[in-house]
Amino acid sequence: MSSLESLSTRHGVAGGRARAILEVNQNEDFEYHEPVLLPESELVPKSMRTEFEPMSKLSVFPNPAKDYTVIKYRVTPNKGMDYALLIFDMEGKMVYDQKLGYSEDQVTVITEKLSSGSYIAVIKSGGEVEESKQFVIQK
């Protein structure tokens, strides 16, 4: 477990997956199935592809989500600028908040405590919205 915790502080896919495994281990009732992400394959459904649109800073998949959603982000590191990932429900209530530590990474959000419906993932920096994407949770 300590090697997983150490790996979770790293940048990239390995760090993102380690964080996802650690998150899942905190809740023994949750059954997690690691998505196989092959962005170049045409066999992968569009909702599971990880490629970014040109100039896009945010990608959410699968969409619609069921037990989890993966939010992949890309920000330009800048001294004095803190980035955060926020998720809002359609009433404007913030349901998730996490500081972002790397310029490009992914975050796995367990949706167990969230209701079915539409949500908006937002990357915010210095009080300004950098990018947002709407996604759906269907249970």
Side-chain angles (χ1 to χ4, degrees), residues 57-58 75 80-86 88 100 121-132:
K57 297 179 181 185
L58 190 61
V75 295
M81 297 286 276
D82 290 329
Y83 290 94
L85 170 65
L86 310 171
F88 295 92
L100 303 178
V122 175
I123 292 182
K124 210 168 191 182
S125 174
E128 299 291 322
V129 173
E130 298 280 327
E131 185 91 11
S132 65

Side-chain angles (χ1 to χ4, degrees), residues 55-74:
M55 302 301 290
S56 178
K57 297 179 181 185
L58 190 61
S59 176
V60 181
F61 56 94
N63 189 11
K66 184 176 178 185
D67 298 318
Y68 65 92
T69 190
V70 178
I71 300 175
K72 190 169 182 179
Y73 64 89
R74 181 184 321 161

Side-chain angles (χ1 to χ4, degrees), residues 34-137:
E34 181 69 29
V36 178
L37 305 174
L38 303 170
E40 66 280 354
S41 172
E42 291 182 15
L43 300 175
V44 175
K46 286 183 181 180
S47 66
M48 293 292 290
R49 294 187 190 162
T50 61
E51 70 266 12
F52 284 99
E53 300 164 8
M55 302 301 290
S56 178
K57 297 179 181 185
L58 190 61
S59 176
V60 181
F61 56 94
N63 189 11
K66 184 176 178 185
D67 298 318
Y68 65 92
T69 190
V70 178
I71 300 175
K72 190 169 182 179
Y73 64 89
R74 181 184 321 161
V75 295
T76 305
N78 196 351
K79 284 189 175 184
M81 297 286 276
D82 290 329
Y83 290 94
L85 170 65
L86 310 171
I87 297 177
F88 295 92
D89 64 16
M90 294 313 284
E91 294 175 0
K93 179 182 171 191
M94 185 172 50
V95 296
Y96 184 87
D97 177 12
Q98 180 173 335
K99 184 177 177 181
L100 303 178
Y102 299 104
S103 60
E104 185 174 345
D105 206 348
Q106 66 183 29
V107 175
T108 301
V109 178
I110 307 304
T111 61
E112 172 181 75
K113 294 180 182 175
L114 300 176
S115 303
S116 293
S118 294
Y119 292 84
I120 299 175
V122 175
I123 292 182
K124 210 168 191 182
S125 174
E128 299 291 322
V129 173
E130 298 280 327
E131 185 91 11
S132 65
K133 292 281 184 190
Q134 185 173 350
F135 67 100
V136 175
I137 296 176

